[in-house]
């Protein structure tokens, strides 16, 4: 009888040991590798959900993540798939563009748009190289560069050159880069060198919140999903609150944007990033009916015909009226030129690197607050402009 009872107890204990994980992990590990692998353990209890971004997706498994970049560059014919494996656990047998162990310990950032997310998730100390420091506004990174803790591996001016020898010497755990077209050879050059390179196509997400949500994409490589999820939720809540506030405005002022370059005015399309911001800020964008997500190629006469009497002129790259008139004297014919013309480059470093395209993209709620303040100052009486400023007289 005792032997049967003992056998029964042994069978119960054995079945429980099969059904219950040996280790119940309550958060993602951001530094350590697994020392004792258990196939039943979920090593990523902190997960992200993708809400606004159209450009990437993630599928979680117990010890790996499958991350898909839907359109890695303009005109790409197929998505890219990355398998992110918790270090110390076995990689799955499946086809992918690259397999990378996470959490990553060192990273190369080839775009300034990645830096705000790395900063917000406490990862800036993992950055060992950048494309170029010329246009970087991040003061911590500038200090680390001055101390030789960070090096440049690009062409030094946002070009397509890359120093493969430096990258090989660094042996980074991850290289985050962008590819703007099939003609851009930086990505394939790094890939052919056998280095762990990943395309971050944040710039192809045309909605303000969608672009900002790529912070979650970056978090997947460092297991910092909990931070990224929380940070984006805050940005999203503030953005939507401001957009709701803008709808209470008594009027919709007319707005146009940009300046001509080599006789062509690259006017943002109605469904573009800026077109969405202007609409959400309570502005009547004069090209708002257009469905383009990119730019419209217009001549000066066309823009004057449509926008000569517009209430506001925004996203002027130049920061002074004299600079604007240096492009074309006819620009003074716009009614908004004297009192309602705004640059989006109020925060710019000595080399012309605009923080609008660095921290601004990660914080569209602040961009929206600036535009609401410009179009409807009574709705945000206490807000001080951050990325925008009126054109200076000089």
């Amino acid at each position: 009888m005792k032997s049967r009872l003992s056998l029964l107890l042994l069978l119960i204990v054995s079945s429980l040991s099969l059904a219950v994980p040996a280790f119940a992990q309550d958060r993602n590990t951001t530094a350590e590798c697994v020392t004792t692998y258990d196939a039943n353990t979920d090593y990523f209890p902190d997960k992200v959900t993708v809400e606004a971004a159209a450009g990437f997706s993630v599928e979680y498994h117990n010890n790996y993540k499958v991350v898909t970049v839907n359109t890695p560059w303009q005109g790409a014919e197929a998505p890219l798939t990355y398998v992110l494996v918790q270090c110390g656990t076995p990689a799955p047998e499946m086809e992918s563009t690259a397999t990378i162990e996470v959490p990553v310990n060192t990273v190369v950032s080839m775009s300034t748009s990645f830096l705000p997310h790395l900063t917000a998730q406490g990862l800036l100390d993992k950055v060992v190289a950048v494309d170029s420091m010329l246009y970087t506004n991040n003061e911590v990174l500038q200090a680390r560069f001055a101390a030789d803790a960070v090096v440049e591996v690009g062409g030094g001016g946002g070009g397509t050159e890359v120093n493969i020898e430096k990258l090989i010497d660094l042996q980074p755990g991850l290289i985050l880069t962008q590819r703007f077209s099939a003609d851009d050879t930086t990505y394939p050059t790094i890939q052919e060198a056998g280095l762990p390179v990943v395309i971050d196509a944040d710039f192809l997400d045309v909605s303000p919140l969608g672009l900002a949500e790529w912070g979650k994409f970056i978090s997947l490589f460092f297991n910092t999903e909990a931070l990224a999820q929380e940070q984006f939720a805050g940005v999203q809540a503030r953005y939507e609150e401001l957009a709701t506030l803008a709808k209470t405005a008594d009027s919709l002022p007319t707005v146009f944007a940009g300046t001509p370059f080599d006789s062509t005015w690259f006017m943002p399309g109605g469904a573009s990033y800026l077109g969405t911001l202007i609409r959400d800020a309570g502005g009547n964008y004069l090209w708002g009916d257009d469905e383009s997500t990119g730019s419209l190629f217009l001549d000066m006469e066309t823009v004057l015909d449509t926008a000569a009497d517009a209430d506001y002129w925004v996203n002027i790259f130049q920061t002074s009226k004299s600079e604007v008139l240096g492009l074309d004297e006819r620009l003074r014919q716009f009614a908004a030129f004297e009192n309602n013309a705004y640059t989006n480059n109020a925060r710019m470093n000595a080399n012309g690197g605009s923080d609008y395209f660095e921290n601004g993209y990660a914080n569209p709620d602040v961009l929206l607050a600036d535009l609401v303040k410009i179009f409807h100052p009574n709705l945000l009486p206490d807000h001080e402009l951050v990325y925008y400023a009126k054109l200076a007289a000089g």
Side-chain angles (χ1 to χ4, degrees), residues 316-325 336-346 388-394:
I316 301 170
F317 185 83
Q318 293 72 23
T319 57
S320 71
K321 292 178 180 179
S322 59
E323 287 180 277
V324 171
L325 294 179
F337 176 73
E338 284 301 328
N339 298 309
N340 289 322
Y342 289 82
T343 178
N344 57 314
N345 293 324
Y388 284 83
K390 274 194 173 183
L391 285 185

Side-chain angles (χ1 to χ4, degrees), residues 71-153:
T71 306
W73 57 84
Q74 291 275 14
E77 296 180 356
L80 300 181
T81 302
Y82 303 103
V83 176
L84 281 51
V85 182
Q86 173 63 47
C87 64
T89 73
E93 294 184 4
M94 61 180 295
E95 290 188 9
S96 66
T97 306
T99 298
I100 294 174
E101 284 196 342
V102 297
V104 167
N105 289 318
T106 56
V107 60
V108 175
S109 175
M110 298 295 284
S111 171
T112 59
S113 67
F114 308 153
L115 299 178
H117 302 301
L118 292 168
T119 302
Q121 294 170 35
L123 302 168
L124 211 56
D125 62 334
K126 296 183 183 294
V127 178
V128 293
V130 294
D131 172 35
S132 168
M133 286 299 301
L134 277 177
Y135 305 122
T136 300
N137 286 272
N138 191 295
E139 293 180 356
V140 174
L141 204 62
Q142 289 172 346
R144 295 189 70 226
F145 177 72
D148 296 326
V150 172
V151 300
E152 294 177 309
V153 293

Side-chain angles (χ1 to χ4, degrees), residues 204-237:
L204 289 177
D205 246 293
V206 295
S207 76
L209 287 173
L211 196 157
E213 196 171 23
W214 279 77
K216 294 181 182 180
F217 176 84
I218 289 176
S219 77
L220 296 168
F221 296 87
F222 300 90
N223 289 354
T224 48
E225 284 100 324
L227 274 174
Q229 189 78 8
E230 179 182 0
Q231 287 156 2
F232 178 76
V235 169
Q236 184 178 39

Side-chain angles (χ1 to χ4, degrees), residues 298-352:
L298 308 176
D299 55 37
M300 175 73 77
E301 291 72 21
T302 299
V303 178
L304 267 172
D305 286 345
T306 304
D309 298 322
D311 297 310
Y312 291 96
W313 183 3
V314 298
N315 283 63
I316 301 170
F317 185 83
Q318 293 72 23
T319 57
S320 71
K321 292 178 180 179
S322 59
E323 287 180 277
V324 171
L325 294 179
L327 299 175
D328 194 315
E329 278 288 333
R330 291 176 296 172
L331 293 170
R332 68 168 68 250
Q333 297 178 33
F334 291 100
F337 176 73
E338 284 301 328
N339 298 309
N340 289 322
Y342 289 82
T343 178
N344 57 314
N345 293 324
R347 296 163 63 96
M348 182 182 284
N349 70 18
N351 300 309

Side-chain angles (χ1 to χ4, degrees), residues 8-207:
L8 179 60
L9 288 171
L10 179 62
L11 289 172
I12 292 173
V13 170
S14 299
S15 65
L16 285 173
S17 65
L18 290 173
V20 179
F23 171 63
Q25 188 168 305
D26 62 355
R27 65 186 62 180
N28 294 4
T29 59
T30 58
E32 306 84 9
C33 289
V34 172
T35 55
T36 304
Y37 172 61
D38 172 38
N40 294 315
T41 294
D42 179 1
Y43 290 99
F44 309 115
D46 299 323
K47 298 174 172 61
V48 295
T49 55
V50 184
E51 303 170 58
F56 76 96
S57 62
V58 56
E59 179 183 296
Y60 284 92
H61 300 266
N62 274 5
N63 73 306
Y64 66 95
K65 318 166 196 179
V66 179
V67 182
T68 303
V69 179
N70 300 324
T71 306
W73 57 84
Q74 291 275 14
E77 296 180 356
L80 300 181
T81 302
Y82 303 103
V83 176
L84 281 51
V85 182
Q86 173 63 47
C87 64
T89 73
E93 294 184 4
M94 61 180 295
E95 290 188 9
S96 66
T97 306
T99 298
I100 294 174
E101 284 196 342
V102 297
V104 167
N105 289 318
T106 56
V107 60
V108 175
S109 175
M110 298 295 284
S111 171
T112 59
S113 67
F114 308 153
L115 299 178
H117 302 301
L118 292 168
T119 302
Q121 294 170 35
L123 302 168
L124 211 56
D125 62 334
K126 296 183 183 294
V127 178
V128 293
V130 294
D131 172 35
S132 168
M133 286 299 301
L134 277 177
Y135 305 122
T136 300
N137 286 272
N138 191 295
E139 293 180 356
V140 174
L141 204 62
Q142 289 172 346
R144 295 189 70 226
F145 177 72
D148 296 326
V150 172
V151 300
E152 294 177 309
V153 293
T160 57
E161 299 176 7
V162 61
N163 191 321
I164 292 296
E165 289 75 19
K166 274 190 180 181
L167 287 174
I168 291 173
D169 288 342
L170 287 168
Q171 286 296 302
L174 174 66
I175 301 168
L176 283 172
T177 191
Q178 294 172 328
R179 192 181 192 189
F180 298 100
S181 71
D183 297 326
D184 184 346
T185 59
T186 300
Y187 169 70
T189 299
I190 298 173
Q191 193 178 40
E192 287 165 10
L195 294 164
V197 60
V198 166
I199 292 282
D200 182 321
D202 57 359
F203 70 99
L204 289 177
D205 246 293
V206 295
S207 76

